[in-house]
Amino acid sequence: MEFNSLITNCCSSQELKLKDEECERLSKVRDQLGQELEELTASLFEEAHKMVREANVKQATAEKQLKEAQGKIDVLQAEVAALKALLSTSPTSPTKELQPGGKVPFKKGHARNKSTSSAMVGGTMDLTVMQPIVKKCKEADLSLYNEFKAWKEEPLMDRTCPFMKRIYQEDICPCLSFPKNELAAAVLEAVENNTLSIEPAGLQPVRFVKASAVECGGPKKCALSGQTKSCKHRIKLGDSSNYYYISPCCRYRITSVCNFFTYIRYIHQGLVKQQDADQMFWEIMQLRKEMSRAKLGFFKEEL
């Protein structure tokens, strides 16, 4: 009996030892699985945060690109208009000459002078005493034309050459001369560097405009002239975050100068290939005419 009891105790001790070893092994497995689960959870959270950060960066980049694209719409439209002008430029067609037989065609609405009034007898009018029809003519100034020809041989954007210097003095600087001198100088520099953006003022609600924009005018005050005007557009200079509200007149003065620089750049880059020197010269004179009209206060307003 004692021998059997001893054998039974030995078996029980061995079973307990095996169970303890099994428990220890399972505990290690549990701890290992717990550690792996913790590492996996941390990795998933880190990956999720990384994806959120990348999505935010992409969204901010897309919004910035959209804002810049909207800011360049007006300038691109001006360049398109300049290109259309290049394609449609043709010599000015002469006005109608006198009709056969020496008779001058009668145009409704001509003002009558004394001789015209006295020529009316019995309800008839002697058309030979009407004022002659004026034909639009043009003749190039030789000094201007020679300066242009010299510049065309080596088209530089440097304002010190005689051709550009004259246009700066006579058209560009007067056209971009505003009461706010410092801002006017910055506008000219941005136009020269092709970094000026014009956009409708309604693209961004007023409440989102930075506080510094108060110093840059507003929807009812032009930042360039300082006058109380309805400002439908605003400009941005280069990478600056400030917007400057401008009146329709100031906008037209800026765009007329931008149109000139756009065409000059095309010549400088060799893109104007369908026009000879005479056509280029008269196109430049037309752009100078627009700058002259703008600086005198004539402008076209978008309704």
Side-chain angles (χ1 to χ4, degrees), residues 12 29 68 116 121 133 232 253-254 262 283:
S12 298
V29 171
E68 292 176 352
T116 304
V121 179
I133 298 176
K232 300 179 181 179
R253 290 169 68 172
I254 293 173
T262 298
E283 183 66 27

Side-chain angles (χ1 to χ4, degrees), residues 63-77 195-206 208-209 231-238 240-248 251 254-255 302:
E63 291 178 353
K64 181 180 179 182
Q65 291 175 348
L66 176 61
K67 189 176 180 181
E68 292 176 352
Q70 289 174 337
K72 294 178 181 179
I73 287 176
D74 220 7
V75 176
L76 291 175
Q77 288 177 343
T195 58
L196 182 140
S197 301
I198 304 178
E199 66 179 33
L203 282 182
Q204 184 177 8
V206 177
F208 292 123
V209 179
C231 301
K232 300 179 181 179
H233 292 81
R234 62 185 186 178
I235 59 175
K236 186 166 75 76
L237 310 179
S240 172
S241 60
N242 291 332
Y243 285 92
Y244 303 89
Y245 288 83
I246 55 174
S247 64
R251 173 184 174 271
I254 293 173
T255 54
E302 293 182 358

Side-chain angles (χ1 to χ4, degrees), residues 277-294:
D278 291 345
Q279 291 174 321
M280 291 182 189
F281 174 79
W282 286 114
E283 183 66 27
I284 291 174
M285 294 302 105
Q286 181 63 33
L287 294 170
R288 292 189 62 185
K289 179 181 177 181
E290 290 298 322
M291 287 190 287
S292 297
R293 287 176 55 83

Side-chain angles (χ1 to χ4, degrees), residues 40-281:
L40 179 61
T41 303
S43 176
L44 289 175
F45 272 107
E46 183 179 356
E47 186 67 23
H49 285 299
K50 181 180 178 181
M51 293 174 65
V52 171
R53 287 195 301 269
E54 291 177 352
N56 291 335
V57 170
K58 290 181 179 179
Q59 182 179 359
T61 302
E63 291 178 353
K64 181 180 179 182
Q65 291 175 348
L66 176 61
K67 189 176 180 181
E68 292 176 352
Q70 289 174 337
K72 294 178 181 179
I73 287 176
D74 220 7
V75 176
L76 291 175
Q77 288 177 343
E79 292 186 359
V80 170
L83 283 173
K84 288 182 178 179
L86 294 183
L87 297 176
S88 61
T89 301
S90 59
T92 303
S93 58
T95 57
K96 295 181 179 180
E97 301 293 340
L98 297 179
Q99 294 181 350
K103 293 184 179 181
V104 181
F106 175 73
K107 281 192 175 182
K108 184 178 180 180
H110 266 289
R112 294 176 293 169
N113 55 22
K114 293 182 179 180
S115 61
T116 304
S117 300
S118 61
M120 297 181 64
V121 179
T124 61
M125 179 182 294
D126 187 359
L127 299 182
T128 59
V129 296
M130 290 293 294
Q131 293 181 355
I133 298 176
V134 178
K135 181 175 68 173
K136 292 183 180 180
C137 302
K138 59 184 180 182
E139 182 178 347
D141 182 276
L142 290 180
S143 59
L144 293 178
Y145 188 75
N146 290 333
E147 288 176 357
F148 166 72
K149 289 290 291 291
W151 175 83
K152 184 177 177 296
E153 294 298 325
E154 189 177 356
L156 302 175
M157 303 300 292
D158 188 358
R159 67 168 70 185
T160 59
C161 66
F163 171 70
M164 293 296 292
K165 182 178 180 181
R166 178 192 294 271
I167 299 179
Y168 265 95
Q169 292 177 346
E170 298 180 359
D171 301 307
I172 296 175
C173 290
C175 194
L176 294 184
S177 176
F178 299 101
K180 305 298 181 180
N181 296 329
E182 293 184 2
L183 181 56
V187 169
L188 175 56
E189 182 179 357
V191 172
E192 291 174 327
N193 297 330
N194 199 21
T195 58
L196 182 140
S197 301
I198 304 178
E199 66 179 33
L203 282 182
Q204 184 177 8
V206 177
R207 65 178 182 274
F208 292 123
V209 179
K210 292 186 177 180
S212 60
V214 176
E215 301 177 359
C216 307
K220 299 297 182 181
K221 185 177 181 181
C222 179
L224 284 169
S225 66
Q227 298 179 349
T228 302
K229 298 289 183 180
S230 177
C231 301
K232 300 179 181 179
H233 292 81
R234 62 185 186 178
I235 59 175
K236 186 166 75 76
L237 310 179
D239 296 330
S240 172
S241 60
N242 291 332
Y243 285 92
Y244 303 89
Y245 288 83
I246 55 174
S247 64
C249 180
C250 293
R251 173 184 174 271
Y252 189 75
R253 290 169 68 172
I254 293 173
T255 54
S256 64
V257 177
C258 288
N259 290 340
F260 169 78
F261 273 100
T262 298
Y263 186 71
I264 289 296
R265 289 191 189 99
Y266 288 155
I267 298 178
H268 177 259
Q269 296 169 5
L271 300 178
V272 185
K273 299 179 180 179
Q274 298 181 351
Q275 293 181 326
D276 56 25
D278 291 345
Q279 291 174 321
M280 291 182 189
F281 174 79

